[in-house]
Amino acid sequence: MLLAPLLALGLGASPASAGVATLCLAQPGQTACVSGTVGNRTNPVEGADVVLRDEAGTEVESITTAADGKYSFQVTEAGDYFLFVDPESLPDDVEIIPPAPRFQEDDGSIRVPVKLGRTATPDLEVRSVDYDAEGSGFGEQIVQSIAQGLRLGLLLALASVGLSLIYGTTGLSSFSHAEQVTLGGMVAYGLVNVAGLNLWIGILLTTIICGATGYVQDRLMWQPLRRRGLGLTQMMIVTIGLALAAQYAFQFFVGASQQKVVVRTFDVVEIGPVRMTDMSFVAMGVALVAIAVVGFVLLRTRVGQATRAVSDNPALAAASGIDVDRIIRFVWIAATALAGLGGVFYALVVSNGIRWDTGMQILLLLFAAVTLGGLGTAFGAFVGAIIIGLVVELAGPLGAPGDLKYAVALVILILLLMVRPQGLLGRAVRVG
């Protein structure tokens, strides 16, 4: 059901044609690997020429990165190797961040100590060529990170608000909800990149298609399971299976490499120390409008009042004449449409494309946002998503290396829940 849009668009690409870098597995006492990403997981660099040389300066192998920015070399001897990224192959506006002086060579290559049976992962992060270590003070970095954190938080909120609504009305923690984010990016890739539609028409159709998958899911799967009296634990396991099936089906139909919704670079807009693309500001504006519409519907319409009634007490809502199944179906449609919309903009402005495992990468962030804000409260999910987005982006300037910034967000969640178990906007519940 989730993959019907991909079938209709005819995106069947065999994994062999995906152009993914060969995975290297180090064998104890036999081989070692030098692997990593040019850029990072959310902002990889495509088309970078990466060369590995041995201690004698002889070229071992060279790789041109694909859309995911990954490279991987296998060697059979231990020792020092030298990794070089051709600056001419990088985009005009970025450069490799110099490593620590003890690893930096005169020719710009990076020394990589290698031991058999292990994988070395040198850091090849990039930054703007306009970066000035003296001119770009700590305060400016913080302001830039806050802007990026708000952008990430607003896009996470599009998915986490829907996830919170599903939990509030059904009590179900849907582990497949993050795959709706991936589906949004995949469908937009098919409509815009493959079918050649206008970007904004593609975004609108993607939102409608993803909302339709929510209707189909509830009509054909979740409603029958509810009527059969299936427990929440069993239904949660179903969502885990659905998520795994969707991930591998994405690989089968679209491929394992990163796919771009649009193959072009957006204009950069500078507002004081903040420097982001114009599409980033558009994405933030659309996310704010969409969340404001959700808030208006919940607070000012009869459907919203019925949704809050079902969330508070489904049995009493049914006794008062509310069609509970109809309300739950409305929530599924809205939640999957919001997640699909978030997936399109996430692919456009955050991750520079969409991959089969994009949803899996942000799943814990979505649950962290919902839990931090308070389970079952849409406004709490919005607040939690903003906090998580800010923490993730501020962790880097404050000293957290690489992808550990995601772990910092989860540590903050744990510490806050130890003080306030119900979350920021959740209601305290007496147990026992």
Side-chain angles (χ1 to χ4, degrees):
M1 289 182 291
L2 283 173
L3 296 166
L6 301 183
L7 285 169
L9 291 168
L11 299 183
S14 64
S17 65
V20 183
T22 303
L23 177 65
C24 175
L25 297 176
Q27 301 294 326
Q30 299 180 25
T31 62
C33 301
V34 179
S35 304
T37 302
V38 180
N40 55 48
R41 186 175 62 181
T42 56
N43 292 292
V45 176
E46 181 181 6
D49 295 329
V50 186
V51 180
L52 184 69
R53 302 189 180 104
D54 59 18
E55 290 186 274
T58 303
E59 181 177 316
V60 177
E61 189 180 354
S62 64
I63 291 176
T64 300
T65 59
D68 58 6
K70 293 186 180 299
Y71 62 89
S72 186
F73 302 99
Q74 186 177 73
V75 296
T76 56
E77 296 182 3
D80 285 344
Y81 288 80
F82 299 89
L83 199 65
F84 177 77
V85 180
D86 185 0
E88 298 296 327
S89 66
L90 296 174
D92 294 337
D93 58 342
V94 301
E95 65 181 5
I96 298 293
I97 298 177
R102 67 179 184 277
F103 295 112
Q104 179 76 48
E105 300 298 313
D106 292 338
D107 63 352
S109 60
I110 301 172
R111 182 168 60 85
V112 184
V114 173
K115 296 182 180 179
L116 294 181
R118 298 185 180 182
T119 298
T121 55
D123 190 3
L124 293 181
E125 287 270 11
V126 297
R127 68 186 182 192
S128 170
V129 295
D130 298 329
Y131 175 85
D132 182 359
E134 295 181 359
S136 298
F138 180 74
E140 294 183 1
Q141 294 181 43
I142 293 296
V143 173
Q144 175 71 23
S145 296
I146 289 174
Q148 294 175 344
L150 289 173
R151 179 185 66 185
L152 176 60
L154 286 169
L155 297 184
L156 289 177
L158 285 174
S160 61
V161 165
L163 181 61
S164 182
L165 287 173
I166 291 173
Y167 178 86
T169 53
T170 66
L172 175 65
S173 297
S174 177
F175 282 82
S176 63
H177 193 69
E179 306 315 319
Q180 292 288 159
V181 177
T182 307
L183 182 65
M186 292 290 187
V187 173
Y189 159 72
L191 293 173
V192 177
N193 202 331
V194 177
L197 292 182
N198 174 270
L199 176 60
W200 296 108
I201 295 176
I203 291 174
L204 178 61
L205 288 177
T206 297
T207 305
I208 295 172
I209 291 171
C210 288
T213 64
Y215 173 86
V216 173
Q217 284 184 68
D218 185 67
R219 188 71 179 86
L220 299 183
M221 184 165 58
W222 302 120
Q223 184 184 33
L225 290 178
R226 288 196 304 271
R227 290 182 175 179
R228 287 177 177 271
L230 198 68
L232 290 176
T233 301
Q234 292 95 322
M235 292 178 71
M236 183 180 68
I237 293 173
V238 172
T239 68
I240 296 174
L242 183 61
L244 293 174
Q247 290 169 15
Y248 290 110
F250 288 145
Q251 291 188 68
F252 179 80
F253 287 106
V254 182
S257 61
Q258 184 154 316
Q259 306 292 348
K260 292 186 177 182
V261 176
V262 291
V263 188
R264 65 183 179 89
T265 302
F266 296 107
D267 294 332
V268 175
V269 177
E270 294 188 20
I271 302 177
V274 176
R275 190 173 186 269
M276 293 194 299
T277 63
D278 53 358
M279 181 55 70
S280 293
F281 290 103
V282 171
M284 294 168 70
V286 172
L288 276 173
V289 170
I291 293 169
V293 169
V294 172
F296 176 82
V297 170
L298 287 175
L299 296 177
R300 300 294 182 182
T301 67
R302 294 186 65 183
V303 172
Q305 292 174 356
T307 301
R308 289 185 285 126
V310 171
S311 178
D312 188 61
N313 192 322
L316 183 59
S320 62
I322 295 175
D323 188 341
V324 174
D325 281 335
R326 178 173 171 269
I327 293 301
I328 291 177
R329 189 165 302 131
F330 166 77
V331 167
W332 273 101
I333 293 171
T336 52
L338 287 172
L341 179 63
V344 179
F345 285 118
Y346 190 87
L348 286 172
V349 303
V350 177
S351 61
N352 196 32
I354 196 74
R355 282 173 49 90
W356 66 274
D357 59 348
T358 297
M360 181 172 60
Q361 293 173 2
I362 66 172
L363 177 63
L364 288 180
L365 295 183
L366 296 181
F367 274 104
V370 172
T371 308
L372 183 64
L375 289 173
T377 60
F379 299 108
F382 171 71
V383 173
I386 297 297
I387 294 175
I388 292 296
L390 289 171
V391 169
V392 166
E393 293 296 341
L394 285 170
L398 295 178
D403 287 340
L404 275 181
K405 59 186 181 182
Y406 298 102
V408 172
L410 299 179
V411 170
I412 296 294
L413 169 67
I414 294 171
L415 294 177
L416 187 138
L417 291 181
M418 292 178 66
V419 178
R420 188 177 173 83
Q422 71 269 29
L424 292 174
L425 301 183
R427 290 177 297 179
V429 178
R430 183 173 182 179
V431 179

